[in-house]
Amino acid sequence: MRELIENSLAVALEQVGQAPVANGADFSVEPPRDARHGEVSSNVALVRAKAAGMNPRDLAERVAAALAAHADVVDASVAGPGFINLRLRGEVWRARLRDILAAGTSYGDSDLGKGNKVNVEYVSANPTGPMHVGHGRGAVVGDALASLFAKVGYAVTREYYVNDAGVQVDVLARSLHHRYREAAGQEAGELPEDHYPGEYLVEAGAALLERDGARWLDRAEEDWLPPVRDFAVDAMMDLIRDDLAALGISHDVFSSERALAASGAVDDTLSDLESRGLLHVGILERPKGRTDEDWEPRPQTLFRSTAFGDDTDRAIRKSDGSWTYFATDMAYHRDKFRRGFPILIDVWGADHKGYVKRMQAAVAALSGGKADFDVLICNLVNLSEAGRPVKMSKRAGTFVTLREVVDRVGMDVVRFIMLTRGNEASLDFDLARAVEQSKDNPVFYVQYAHARACSALRNAAETFPGEDFSDPALAEAPLDRLDEEEELSLIRMLAGWPRTVEAAAEAAEPHRIAFALSDIAAAFHALWNRGNVDDDRRFVVAGDLALSRSRLALVRATALVIASGLEVMGVNPVEEMR
RNA sequence: GCGCCCGUAGCUCAGCCGGAUAGAGCAGCGGACUUCUAAUCCGCAGGUCGCAGGUUCGAAUCCUGCCGGGCGCGCCA
């Protein structure tokens, strides 16, 4: 299509004695927003007019004339300031149905990524307890993004970074040890204020007693801390993996912060930066507008992240000499790059927004500017129940875990709803509405369209016993009976699916898939309802096998595109609603 | 104070690498069912795209400055 217009432009320019000007994808070739303007629209004349030394309308007229000569073009006209609007032969569109039936749910796959390796790191929740709903959003967005990249031809690795070092896992170990002592019948006293209070640690404490008996009961902390910590981290990661499995998510790689540090990677990273003069000792100023009373100027080892676009240099050592989280995180990203991923994507929660610039600076420094590093920030999820906000407070005990939500509304609903907003917008998740079966609920709306399509095919098999309605058979069906505007309009939407997928991948916005599916579902429901008004417009018309086959090819293609999109989202297409 | 994000219909939001008369759902009003071809559909009504400038043939979209909301801001992770 684009090629056709490029060629016609060349012809038009030749007619006026001009050499072809710019060459490239600087102009658009798309269905116009308003369908009355035609089936395909291009702004090529507006974009190229200046270079051609002509006014847009004149150039457009000449290009349109060249286009009109093409066999597939029914009509080419010029509108407005110089848009070219085209109508194509119905057969050009109908042929796409055959493509879809042949490709199945792999319709929309492409080689855009050319097999390049991409690492998508997502979830990476601290191993200190079960996942909450906010983690779930990152999990779904990351997983869908990974699937989207895979669909357009990247070699994707799904990775989880396990923060199994640092003070929070020591606190976890002490919390567990407390529960372990309780399980052993010792008088452990009140759980200290800053410890993790969760019930899950009571179970883990009992499990530790079961495995190791009394051996850590009356020892010094320095003896029991490491083994208890390892046990605790393993137990928490099992918990988290279960939560993820309930969402249908599994990672290819789990990277341990502790193992990374032990390998010497942090030392290597810092000496690398040191040798390039990117470390220095300095004193950071107190951020303005802050009134920390205990703030005092202090010399620290800093990374010159300001040399790479950050607002201030960043500390890499704590005053006790150990590394900051940022230091190990730099080493981790360097490690990912050195493992052969030229493209790195992290999916983080909103609370890490202030961390993006420094990490981008770090990756730029450590990869010599060669890594393509992007961070998706997932904003907050506001849980509500029939319009009433559900307050999330660990202390008040009204904390809702991801698992509770998944168990209540189901994995497909959670996944779909998490993708009904751009990741940077905050998201309202209403537990009651999520299971409502109406068009308020986008999950059911799309699922219902797919189920209806399957229903029509089942109906066909009953109406025409012995007839073959398989995909290859439908692809052979004569499609020329699909000549109504509503049908052709749906076909055009389906034909645009590969472009929709590519655009979503290029923008790293998996939520676009959800919106596109809602649009397709709407067009399909509208088409379906015509059959309620007029029996002759049903998909299955008992007296007309040929017509039924034509329409069922469209029905099946619609189901395949919906299934293709749901696959990216990780949602199961249903064949009946029941 | 600084950084990032958000501000579009009464409500919840799409659209944002500039494009034609700014879209959808909910809520409201009016219509279409012997329920797996009504969990749906059709129609009506609803807008200073936060405000003010700028760039452009053309701005919801890009730039600048304000206003309002959110998140974050030296050793936590």
Side-chain angles (χ1 to χ4, degrees):
Chain A
M1 182 58 52
R2 178 167 283 279
E3 207 174 322
L4 173 64
I5 290 186
E6 189 80 54
N7 290 340
S8 299
L9 176 68
V11 169
L13 288 172
E14 200 180 316
Q15 285 172 356
V16 293
Q18 283 260 1
V21 288
N23 204 345
D26 53 349
F27 61 93
S28 69
V29 180
E30 298 171 330
R33 282 187 194 163
D34 188 334
R36 283 170 301 182
H37 290 130
E39 296 169 358
V40 177
S41 183
S42 178
N43 64 356
V44 64
L46 292 162
V47 174
R48 300 279 181 89
K50 197 171 273 181
M54 297 174 69
N55 85 51
R57 286 257 351 169
D58 290 347
L59 180 58
E61 294 287 357
R62 288 185 176 274
V63 175
L67 283 164
H70 194 278
D72 286 340
V73 176
V74 173
D75 180 55
S77 61
V78 177
F83 290 98
I84 299 169
N85 296 322
L86 297 179
R87 290 188 194 283
L88 303 178
R89 279 171 56 228
E91 186 51 33
V92 175
W93 297 111
R94 288 191 284 263
R96 304 305 293 272
L97 289 185
R98 297 195 186 91
D99 297 344
I100 298 170
L101 290 165
T105 55
S106 61
Y107 184 62
D109 288 9
S110 71
D111 61 355
L112 187 71
K114 300 187 175 65
N116 284 321
K117 291 176 73 179
V118 180
N119 183 296
V120 183
E121 183 214 323
Y122 59 106
V123 188
S124 300
N126 286 341
T128 54
M131 292 174 67
H132 57 64
V133 178
H135 292 133
R137 184 175 187 184
V140 169
V141 168
D143 204 52
L145 187 68
S147 298
L148 186 56
F149 278 125
K151 190 168 179 67
V152 297
Y154 288 94
V156 180
T157 295
R158 296 156 197 257
E159 184 150 334
Y160 188 122
Y161 182 45
V162 185
N163 296 129
D164 52 2
V167 295
Q168 89 281 2
V169 286
D170 290 346
V171 172
L172 175 75
R174 289 187 199 103
S175 307
L176 175 63
H177 192 257
H178 187 96
R179 297 304 190 188
Y180 162 71
R181 288 172 61 203
E182 286 176 352
Q186 288 194 343
E187 184 46 63
E190 285 280 302
L191 189 72
E193 178 79 10
D194 61 342
H195 283 35
Y196 295 102
E199 193 66 20
Y200 52 92
L201 283 175
V202 176
E203 288 171 35
L208 178 61
L209 181 67
E210 170 93 22
R211 191 191 73 170
D212 290 352
R215 58 191 294 200
W216 310 118
L217 279 178
D218 298 304
R219 304 272 288 274
E221 179 176 300
E222 60 186 47
D223 292 336
W224 60 253
L225 191 74
V228 170
R229 184 180 56 209
D230 289 350
F231 183 90
V233 169
D234 286 348
M236 295 306 103
M237 285 309 296
D238 283 346
L239 213 59
I240 288 169
R241 266 188 283 257
D242 278 354
D243 287 351
L244 288 170
L247 265 181
I249 291 172
S250 62
H251 290 77
D252 303 311
V253 176
F254 287 83
S255 285
S256 154
E257 179 186 356
R258 184 172 293 278
L260 187 79
S263 74
V266 184
D267 293 309
D268 290 351
T269 302
L270 296 185
S271 54
D272 180 4
L273 294 174
E274 176 85 74
S275 70
R276 292 158 58 196
L278 293 173
L279 298 186
H280 69 113
V281 175
I283 299 172
L284 293 177
E285 287 179 27
R286 183 210 311 245
K288 288 183 177 135
R290 300 259 316 202
T291 51
D292 307 297
E293 284 158 20
D294 57 352
W295 197 92
E296 56 184 44
R298 182 187 297 132
Q300 291 173 292
T301 308
L302 303 172
F303 164 56
R304 285 189 198 279
S305 53
T306 45
F308 300 89
D310 198 2
D311 306 315
T312 177
D313 289 342
R314 303 292 177 176
I316 58 161
R317 268 184 204 285
K318 304 180 195 174
S319 46
D320 67 2
S322 63
W323 301 305
T324 61
Y325 179 77
F326 180 52
T328 51
D329 214 8
M330 281 200 284
Y332 171 55
H333 282 79
R334 176 174 177 265
D335 177 67
K336 283 197 281 191
F337 179 66
R338 289 161 69 100
R339 273 188 272 140
F341 295 103
I343 306 173
L344 301 173
I345 298 177
D346 287 5
V347 180
W348 295 349
D351 52 342
H352 286 64
K353 193 149 46 176
Y355 200 72
V356 174
K357 273 193 182 180
R358 80 186 67 171
M359 205 61 239
Q360 274 169 341
V363 172
L366 292 165
S367 71
K370 291 195 182 105
D372 182 349
F373 174 60
D374 199 11
V375 181
L376 264 66
I377 294 295
C378 291
N379 215 322
L380 304 177
V381 178
N382 302 311
L383 260 195
S384 58
E385 171 81 55
R388 284 207 184 133
V390 176
K391 290 273 180 245
M392 302 279 276
S393 162
K394 280 185 182 176
R395 205 174 276 170
T398 55
F399 181 73
V400 180
T401 63
L402 174 64
R403 190 55 178 273
E404 287 171 71
V405 173
V406 173
D407 286 348
R408 170 135 171 230
V409 306
M411 148 183 150
D412 286 339
V413 171
V414 172
R415 293 190 70 133
F416 200 108
I417 289 182
M418 291 295 189
L419 292 168
T420 53
R421 291 281 177 277
N423 53 281
E424 292 195 338
S426 62
L427 172 73
D428 296 320
F429 192 126
D430 193 290
L431 288 166
R433 188 161 295 165
V435 290
E436 202 170 286
Q437 304 194 344
S438 73
K439 66 180 174 182
D440 283 17
N441 182 341
V443 192
F444 279 86
Y445 189 75
V446 171
Q447 292 279 37
Y448 187 42
H450 185 267
R452 275 180 150 179
C454 294
S455 165
L457 286 156
R458 285 193 298 270
N459 191 348
E462 279 179 31
T463 308
F464 301 105
E467 287 297 329
D468 185 359
F469 294 107
S470 66
D471 294 352
L474 290 174
E476 295 294 312
L479 301 177
D480 55 306
R481 302 283 295 273
L482 294 170
D483 54 2
E484 299 196 49
E485 181 46 38
E486 289 91 334
E487 291 167 335
L488 287 166
S489 162
L490 176 57
I491 293 171
R492 275 181 235 122
M493 288 176 89
L494 300 178
W497 177 245
R499 181 61 207 140
T500 300
V501 172
E502 283 194 358
E506 281 167 353
E509 292 184 351
H511 75 283
R512 291 196 193 189
I513 298 295
F515 282 97
L517 291 188
S518 292
D519 287 348
I520 289 169
F524 182 72
H525 284 309
L527 202 56
W528 176 289
N529 263 70
R530 299 189 324 157
N532 289 338
V533 180
D534 178 356
D535 282 352
D536 294 338
R537 288 182 150 170
R538 296 189 169 212
F539 297 131
V540 180
V541 180
D544 195 339
L545 177 60
L547 178 62
S548 299
R549 286 162 65 91
S550 284
R551 290 181 177 170
L552 287 165
L554 173 56
V555 168
R556 177 60 180 157
T558 304
L560 286 168
V561 169
I562 290 174
S564 160
L566 291 177
E567 195 171 277
V568 169
M569 299 172 71
V571 175
N572 296 298
V574 300
E575 300 197 352
E576 44 184 353
M577 297 305 286
R578 294 276 172 221

